[in-house]
Amino acid sequence: MAKAPVKLVKSIRSYRQIHKTLGLFIVLFLIISSITGLILGWKKNIDVLQPPTQSGETLNISEWHPVHRLAEVSLQAVDSLGLNASNFDRIEYRPTKGIAKVIFDTGSWEVQVDAKTLEVYSVAKRNSDWIEQIHDGSIISELFKVISMNVLGIGLLVLSISGIWLWYGPRKIRKLKS
């Protein structure tokens, strides 16, 4: 029976230490990112996470009102919430639904407006927005988001490579011994 090369055994031991240390360092971030990622995967299917998209009167874009009118109507709809034009995050047109979603950056509020009639169909919270901020780290800051996502990405890559080596290395040693 042949003896496994010392270099190979030392390599596996050092990879095991890297794998264990890195895993312990990023495990909390991985758990949070995994749980919030699973929740976000269901956001279109669970009304509590994101209000269902309504359907407007017409899909003919030439009959739709301009952006400033949609913005005015949505501001009237959220007046009691204390939101104003400085709280606009974005306006999402849904051409296949005939509506526009006016999304506010404060409080994760959304107003769905018929693009033709300007009827307000829905004023609701978008819980998926703050869950997404937890998921990507932007709930703390944009700098934290960039750093944490890079640490997670690089960490997962290193864990994957070291995990493959920790699985394959002992098999190679057994093969060399036999």
Side-chain angles (χ1 to χ4, degrees):
M1 190 183 310
K3 195 171 185 183
V6 174
K7 190 175 179 180
L8 187 61
V9 173
K10 285 184 178 181
S11 169
I12 291 171
R13 285 186 184 138
S14 65
Y15 268 84
R16 186 174 291 121
Q17 188 61 40
I18 291 168
H19 193 83
K20 182 174 90 175
T21 305
L22 182 60
L24 288 172
F25 178 71
I26 67 171
V27 70
L28 181 63
F29 295 108
L30 283 172
I31 290 170
I32 291 169
S33 189
S34 296
I35 291 170
T36 55
L38 286 168
I39 292 169
L40 289 171
W42 287 92
K43 74 180 178 182
K44 301 280 186 191
N45 304 91
I46 300 175
D47 296 349
V48 172
L49 296 176
Q50 186 170 325
T53 303
Q54 306 296 319
S55 292
E57 189 174 301
T58 182
L59 303 182
N60 185 353
I61 295 174
S62 65
E63 296 180 38
W64 290 6
H65 283 277
V67 169
H68 74 275
R69 290 290 295 131
L70 293 163
E72 290 168 2
V73 169
S74 68
L75 283 173
Q76 291 170 359
V78 296
D79 185 50
S80 64
L81 299 172
L83 299 173
N84 57 47
S86 68
N87 301 120
F88 280 135
D89 183 28
R90 63 190 181 273
I91 297 177
E92 296 177 357
Y93 279 97
R94 301 298 167 110
T96 60
K97 296 285 190 168
I99 66 140
K101 291 184 176 187
V102 181
I103 299 167
F104 294 86
D105 61 7
T106 304
S108 301
W109 287 97
E110 162 189 291
V111 178
Q112 292 186 35
V113 181
D114 186 301
K116 179 183 179 188
T117 67
L118 295 178
E119 181 182 346
V120 174
Y121 287 142
S122 168
V123 176
K125 262 207 171 305
R126 293 171 54 97
N127 290 310
S128 61
D129 287 359
W130 62 265
I131 294 170
E132 187 173 339
Q133 290 176 337
I134 293 171
H135 179 73
D136 68 11
S138 63
I139 198 162
I140 295 173
S141 74
E142 284 301 312
L143 178 62
F144 182 81
K145 173 185 174 177
V146 171
I147 292 169
S148 67
M149 289 297 105
N150 279 289
V151 166
L152 272 177
I154 293 166
L156 281 172
L157 183 62
V158 171
L159 285 173
S160 298
I161 292 168
S162 63
I164 289 169
W165 181 242
L166 290 173
W167 171 80
Y168 176 73
R171 282 165 178 69
K172 188 172 183 173
I173 289 173
R174 275 188 237 114
K175 188 177 180 181
L176 289 172
K177 283 184 175 180
S178 58

